[in-house]
């Protein structure tokens, strides 16, 4: 399911219609790349947060939480390198007036060549059958070899030019490789410029440069500057981690991919402090651990892959992304970075305050190294939503749209539906609602035919619908309908809790 634009559009409109995600400021024609979460969206988002927080903070004794402020001293962003280097190279097409990230244009061009190679390989695989040796084919087929050489030479030159900030050469490369604007189809490009992604604002009432502050572009720096506060107050011993969930802001150049690239978004980050020299071991540990977390959501492992970085950021000595197969293709969902002592070191230097750890066993002071896991909450929301979206044709010829969320993440766990709005059925249903609502997010509805109500619950991904009918009044039994199989079963009211609980925590 590569680049499935049609499906993506359907998911976006479903998310709006069923109260998951609304465009921000819609009655004023919206605000680009900013979104609001509706009644069911906020439940799903909170459930994802809770799942992350529990598995990071509650289940790891050596990880503690933090909630640092969004506003921070402006020097923090000087020390971290964001003032000087948190920018993307941008380029405009003079005919379409569209703006692009130069690196994205080049990467997409490389992907096209890569796709061509892949096609040749697949054709050959079919032709040769069992005896096909892919490695040999890739190194001997002339067209494949030529295309691979093209990719290698573009990559080498591109990263070298970016590294030297030689933006004229980045432009020359875009022209020479014949990259055209997807909208106008022309090569009429402007110069490439660096664009800083941080939003700034004024603090206090004096309008001077000294009062300019930034909206944080990542939550990590709030963790670094609190390293000693946390370590001392919670009496943490290395290795230990600090986790934080919070908003981050980036003035993204190109933001046309729904929740994938927003200007205001949320991150779930954990900085793990280790002894220098042990960081690569911990990097491997967290790579495995985080992949386990993703697959524990119930989404198949084939939807995820690692993408190791070829070009490392200035602060890292190892880095990988966990990519997810979104409807727009495999893209980054989480970053895992071995950040060395770059951040703590830089803050010590600029602030003049020590940020070191005293190791009681060896009686030495050192600046810890850091392994970071950084995942986008909104991107995880999009991953879960897009994976769960299903259009099904039923045996009776009708159709339904169902979100088959993992039960644990579903915004509503149980719908309580009196069959009719009379004969004391609503009163009985309310009684049930009152007894279940302290344990599970429930939803009560008495309007419309039962079939319609089932469909609406399918569309927001509710795992169970409970129907209260006349028999309930006689023998205290109800029907429970399973979202995925659509099968209904008659059970005693007292059995509901256990069934729902088992579905939410299957292993428990
Ligand atoms: P990208 O290359 O896609 O711009 P990044 O490498 O800049 O992402 P990081 O700085 O590593 O991203 O941020 C960690 C995580 O935060 C990302 O893996 C992603 O899930 C999330 N994230 C980053 N930028 C955005 C954004 N504009 N909108 C939504 N989520 C984002």
């Amino acid at each position: 399911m590569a680049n499935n634009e049609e499906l993506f559009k359907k998911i976006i409109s479903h998310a709006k219609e069923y109260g998951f995600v609304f465009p921000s400021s819609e009655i004023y024609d919206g605000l680009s790349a900013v979104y609001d979460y509706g009644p069911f969206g906020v439940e799903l988002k909170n459930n994802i947060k809770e799942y992350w927080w529990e598995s990071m903070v509650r289940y790891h004794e050596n990880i503690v939480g933090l909630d640092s402020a969004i506003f921070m001293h402006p020097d923090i962003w000087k020390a971290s390198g964001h003032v000087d280097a948190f920018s993307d190279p941008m380029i405009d097409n003079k005919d379409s007036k569209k703006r692009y990230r130069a690196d994205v244009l080049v990467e997409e061009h490389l992907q096209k060549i890569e796709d061509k190679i892949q096609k040749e390989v697949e054709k050959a695989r079919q032709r040769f059958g069992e005896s096909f040796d892919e490695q040999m084919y890739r190194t001997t087929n002339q067209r494949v070899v030529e295309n691979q050489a093209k990719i290698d030479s573009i990559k080498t030159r591109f990263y070298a030019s970016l590294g030297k900030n030689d933006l004229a050469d980045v432009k020359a490369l875009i022209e020479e490789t014949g990259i055209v604007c997807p909208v106008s189809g022309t090569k009429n490009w402007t110069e490439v410029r660096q664009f800083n992604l941080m939003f700034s604002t004024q603090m206090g009432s004096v309008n001077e440069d000294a009062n300019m502050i930034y909206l944080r572009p990542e939550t990590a720096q709030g963790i670094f500057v609190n390293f000693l506060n946390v370590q001392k107050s919670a009496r943490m011993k290395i290795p230990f981690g600090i986790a934080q969930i919070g908003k981050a802001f980036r003035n993204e150049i190109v933001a046309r991919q729904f929740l994938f690239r927003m200007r205001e978004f949320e991150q779930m980050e954990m900085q793990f402090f280790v002894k220098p020299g042990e960081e690569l071991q911990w990097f491997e540990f967290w790579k495995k651990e985080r992949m386990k977390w993703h697959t524990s959501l119930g989404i198949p492992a084939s939807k995820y892959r690692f993408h190791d970085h070829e070009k490392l950021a200035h602060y890292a000595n190892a880095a990988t992304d966990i990519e997810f197969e979104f409807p727009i293709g495999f893209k980054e969902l989480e970053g895992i970075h071995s950040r060395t002592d770059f951040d703590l070191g830089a803050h010590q230097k600029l602030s003049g305050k020590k940020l070191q750890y005293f190791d009681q066993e060896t009686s030495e002071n050192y600046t810890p190294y850091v392994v970071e896991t950084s995942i986008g909450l909104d991107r995880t929301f999009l991953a879960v939503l897009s994976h769960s979206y299903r259009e099904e044709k039923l045996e009776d010829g009708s159709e339904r749209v169902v979100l088959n969320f993992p039960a644990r993440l579903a915004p509503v766990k149980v719908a309580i539906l009196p069959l009719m709005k009379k004969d004391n059925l609503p009163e009985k249903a309310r009684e049930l609602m009152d007894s279940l609502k302290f344990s599970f997010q429930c939803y009560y509805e008495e309007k419309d035919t039962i079939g319609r109500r089932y469909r609406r619950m399918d569309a927001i991904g509710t795992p169970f619908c409970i129907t209260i009918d006349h028999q309930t009044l006689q023998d205290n039994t109800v029907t429970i309908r399973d979202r995925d199989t659509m099968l209904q079963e008659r059970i005693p009211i007292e059995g509901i809790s256990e069934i729902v609980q088992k579905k939410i925590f299957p292993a428990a």
Side-chain angles (χ1 to χ4, degrees), residues 250 252 260-262 265 267 332-334 374 376 379:
R250 295 183 188 179
E252 298 281 0
F260 184 80
R261 195 169 296 287
M262 302 156 87
F265 59 99
Q267 291 184 315
E332 173 178 343
L333 174 57
E334 172 159 9
S374 173
R379 281 192 195 175

Side-chain angles (χ1 to χ4, degrees), residues 467-479:
T467 306
I468 286 85
D469 54 20
H470 291 94
Q471 197 180 326
T472 312
L473 301 178
Q474 289 163 15
D475 63 6
N476 250 357
T477 61
V478 290
T479 60

Side-chain angles (χ1 to χ4, degrees), residues 191-256:
E191 300 304 311
V192 177
R193 280 164 295 155
Q194 287 287 9
F195 178 77
N196 194 296
L197 302 183
M198 280 199 295
F199 284 99
S200 60
T201 187
Q202 308 291 329
M203 184 156 214
S205 56
V206 189
N207 197 357
E208 283 169 13
D209 254 11
N211 295 305
M212 191 169 84
I213 56 166
Y214 299 100
L215 298 189
R216 66 180 178 201
E218 62 177 29
T219 62
Q221 297 304 325
I223 296 179
F224 294 129
V225 296
N226 276 298
F227 163 69
L228 271 190
N229 284 337
V230 174
Q231 189 264 321
K232 291 200 162 142
S233 59
R235 305 170 65 81
M236 304 306 288
K237 282 212 176 74
I238 273 181
F240 75 92
I242 306 178
Q244 162 154 254
I245 300 178
K247 290 263 181 173
F249 304 83
R250 295 183 188 179
N251 199 1
E252 298 281 0
I253 297 171
V254 182
R256 340 183 162 103

Side-chain angles (χ1 to χ4, degrees), residues 26 67 83 85 96 122-123 141 245 261 314 350 400 495 499:
E26 202 185 3
D67 184 10
V83 171
S96 68
E122 287 316 316
K123 262 200 318 208
N141 178 280
I245 300 178
R261 195 169 296 287
H314 57 285
L350 195 62
R400 72 164 181 164
I499 293 180

Side-chain angles (χ1 to χ4, degrees), residues 74-313:
D75 282 353
I76 287 175
W77 306 109
K78 276 191 203 145
S80 67
H82 284 80
V83 171
D84 290 333
F86 192 57
S87 49
D88 281 334
M90 68 177 183
I91 188 167
D92 293 6
N93 183 268
K94 291 183 194 159
D95 298 319
S96 68
K97 310 263 181 288
K98 288 271 176 211
R99 177 160 290 173
Y100 299 93
R101 265 172 62 176
D103 54 332
V104 172
L105 281 182
V106 173
E107 272 154 23
E108 281 175 358
H109 180 72
L110 292 175
Q111 187 61 47
K112 275 190 202 145
I113 308 178
E114 183 64 50
D115 289 347
K116 265 192 214 161
I117 296 180
Q118 204 51 42
K119 247 193 193 155
E120 295 268 355
V121 170
E122 287 316 316
K123 262 200 318 208
R125 191 191 310 282
Q126 284 188 357
R127 211 163 354 123
F128 294 112
E130 294 262 302
S131 62
F132 182 58
D133 179 344
E134 182 172 337
Q135 189 60 26
M136 168 106 105
Y137 183 76
R138 278 179 180 268
T139 45
T140 51
N141 178 280
Q142 202 187 340
R143 260 200 309 263
V144 170
V145 171
E146 277 171 15
N147 276 329
Q148 191 56 51
K150 242 193 235 170
I151 292 179
D152 295 342
S153 97
I154 294 174
K155 261 192 190 165
T156 312
R157 179 168 157 198
F158 179 64
Y159 290 130
S161 304
L162 262 193
K164 287 184 292 191
N165 207 19
D166 183 354
L167 300 181
D169 193 55
V170 173
K171 182 189 179 191
L173 179 67
I174 288 176
E175 285 172 343
E176 284 166 34
T177 43
I179 295 177
V180 296
C181 164
V183 177
S184 67
T186 71
K187 287 194 274 183
N188 196 5
W189 297 111
T190 61
E191 300 304 311
V192 177
R193 280 164 295 155
Q194 287 287 9
F195 178 77
N196 194 296
L197 302 183
M198 280 199 295
F199 284 99
S200 60
T201 187
Q202 308 291 329
M203 184 156 214
S205 56
V206 189
N207 197 357
E208 283 169 13
D209 254 11
N211 295 305
M212 191 169 84
I213 56 166
Y214 299 100
L215 298 189
R216 66 180 178 201
E218 62 177 29
T219 62
Q221 297 304 325
I223 296 179
F224 294 129
V225 296
N226 276 298
F227 163 69
L228 271 190
N229 284 337
V230 174
Q231 189 264 321
K232 291 200 162 142
S233 59
R235 305 170 65 81
M236 304 306 288
K237 282 212 176 74
I238 273 181
F240 75 92
I242 306 178
Q244 162 154 254
I245 300 178
K247 290 263 181 173
F249 304 83
R250 295 183 188 179
N251 199 1
E252 298 281 0
I253 297 171
V254 182
R256 340 183 162 103
Q257 292 163 320
F258 191 43
L259 303 182
F260 184 80
R261 195 169 296 287
M262 302 156 87
R263 295 205 165 98
E264 173 181 339
F265 59 99
E266 233 165 313
Q267 291 184 315
M268 305 189 286
E269 296 198 299
M270 193 277 298
Q271 309 295 326
F272 198 72
F273 299 89
V274 305
K275 207 170 170 173
E278 293 182 358
E279 72 278 8
L280 294 180
Q281 253 161 274
W282 284 110
F283 174 74
E284 289 306 320
F285 172 86
W286 282 110
K287 253 177 96 165
K288 280 203 202 93
E289 196 71 7
R290 292 302 305 146
M291 188 58 106
K292 246 199 274 166
W293 181 86
H294 285 282
T295 49
S296 75
L297 288 172
I299 298 178
S302 60
K303 299 283 266 183
Y304 299 91
R305 69 180 186 198
F306 285 114
H307 172 244
D308 293 333
H309 288 206
E310 286 175 39
K311 180 180 172 275
L312 293 172

